[in-house]
Amino acid sequence: MPNKNTFDIKCINKLIHKYLRPGMLSIDPFANKNRIAKITNDLDPEMKAEYCMDALDFLKQLKPESIDFVLYDPPYSPRQVSECYKKMGRTVNMETTQASFWGNLKKEIARVTRAGGIVISFGWNTNGIGKTNGFEILEILTVSHGGQHNDTLCTVERKITGLFD
Ligand SMILES: C[S@@+](CC[C@H](N)C(=O)[O-])C[C@H]1O[C@@H](n2cnc3c(N)ncnc32)[C@H](O)[C@@H]1O
């Protein structure tokens, strides 16, 4: 069955630990209650992550090419963004629900990830951070939840050199 805590799903947790190595500087900008990454952030103060910022602002404060490993598990749809923002009394507008919401996050993730670094993206598509942002796909895991539920797609990518050369 789907679990709102994505990383509690056994095969997803196993996938993360296949790529996450000790000593890697790892970040999770949408951490919820998860503490797998070294640096965690979540907009919701109840999650008590290390940082409580909008994910885009959190990423913008990081130095270029400084991060080895990124877990990217944002709200998957405009509806999920709206639900989350309304819960926190935040404004829901065009900016927060259009495709650029995810596009801007991806650009920042590409900026902060070092060459050779790993990003695992979760959602309902396998676009990941993308070739145009300098990434190649290493592996895709499809997690089926049965019934009428959407699958969770997990896309593992590596940043290839040259983007900021
Ligand atoms: C899909 S859940 C992440 C689940 C987490 N990976 C886990 O396994 O428990 C998305 C999380 O992003 C947070 N969130 C939503 N919009 C955000 C934003 N703009 N900036 C930071 N966090 C945000 C929500 O509070 C929620 O905890």
Side-chain angles (χ1 to χ4, degrees):
M1 286 297 290
N3 186 327
K4 73 179 171 60
N5 298 111
T6 323
F7 306 160
D8 289 348
I9 298 169
K10 221 172 167 181
C11 57
I12 293 183
N13 197 284
K14 198 172 157 196
L15 178 78
I16 293 169
H17 286 96
K18 180 176 166 185
Y19 289 93
L20 181 60
R21 298 270 164 267
M24 276 181 163
L25 183 53
S26 54
I27 60 166
D28 186 350
F30 297 90
N32 200 276
K33 288 186 176 153
N34 241 292
R35 299 295 176 262
I36 294 176
K38 281 215 173 85
I39 308 173
T40 57
N41 175 72
D42 198 286
L43 189 59
D44 186 347
E46 280 178 28
M47 298 307 145
K48 295 189 175 13
E50 190 178 347
Y51 292 86
C52 180
M53 300 171 73
D54 182 87
L56 192 61
D57 296 333
F58 166 77
L59 289 163
K60 278 186 173 165
Q61 63 166 4
L62 300 174
K63 291 197 178 98
E65 308 218 325
S66 60
I67 304 297
D68 302 305
F69 186 93
V70 183
L71 289 167
Y72 176 51
D73 189 20
Y76 295 172
S77 63
R79 187 176 157 181
Q80 287 191 359
V81 174
S82 294
E83 281 171 4
C84 180
Y85 275 37
K86 277 181 192 156
K87 181 186 161 203
M88 275 170 277
R90 284 197 147 221
T91 317
V92 180
N93 53 28
M94 283 280 284
E95 230 172 77
T96 50
T97 54
Q98 65 193 4
S100 58
F101 172 83
W102 293 272
N104 292 338
L105 287 161
K106 289 178 188 196
K107 275 189 203 119
E108 277 305 305
I109 289 173
R111 185 186 66 81
V112 303
T113 307
R114 70 163 175 81
I118 299 290
V119 178
I120 310 186
S121 303
F122 303 86
W124 291 329
N125 62 60
T126 58
N127 295 335
I129 307 304
K131 210 173 166 182
T132 50
N133 282 320
F135 283 75
E136 64 177 2
I137 292 179
L138 299 181
E139 180 175 351
I140 292 168
L141 174 71
T142 306
V143 182
S144 165
H145 304 291
Q148 294 304 306
H149 299 287
N150 287 327
D151 292 346
T152 302
L153 301 172
C154 317
T155 308
V156 184
E157 295 170 285
R158 177 170 48 210
K159 187 174 171 189
I160 40 187
T161 44
L163 186 62
F164 298 105
D165 292 346

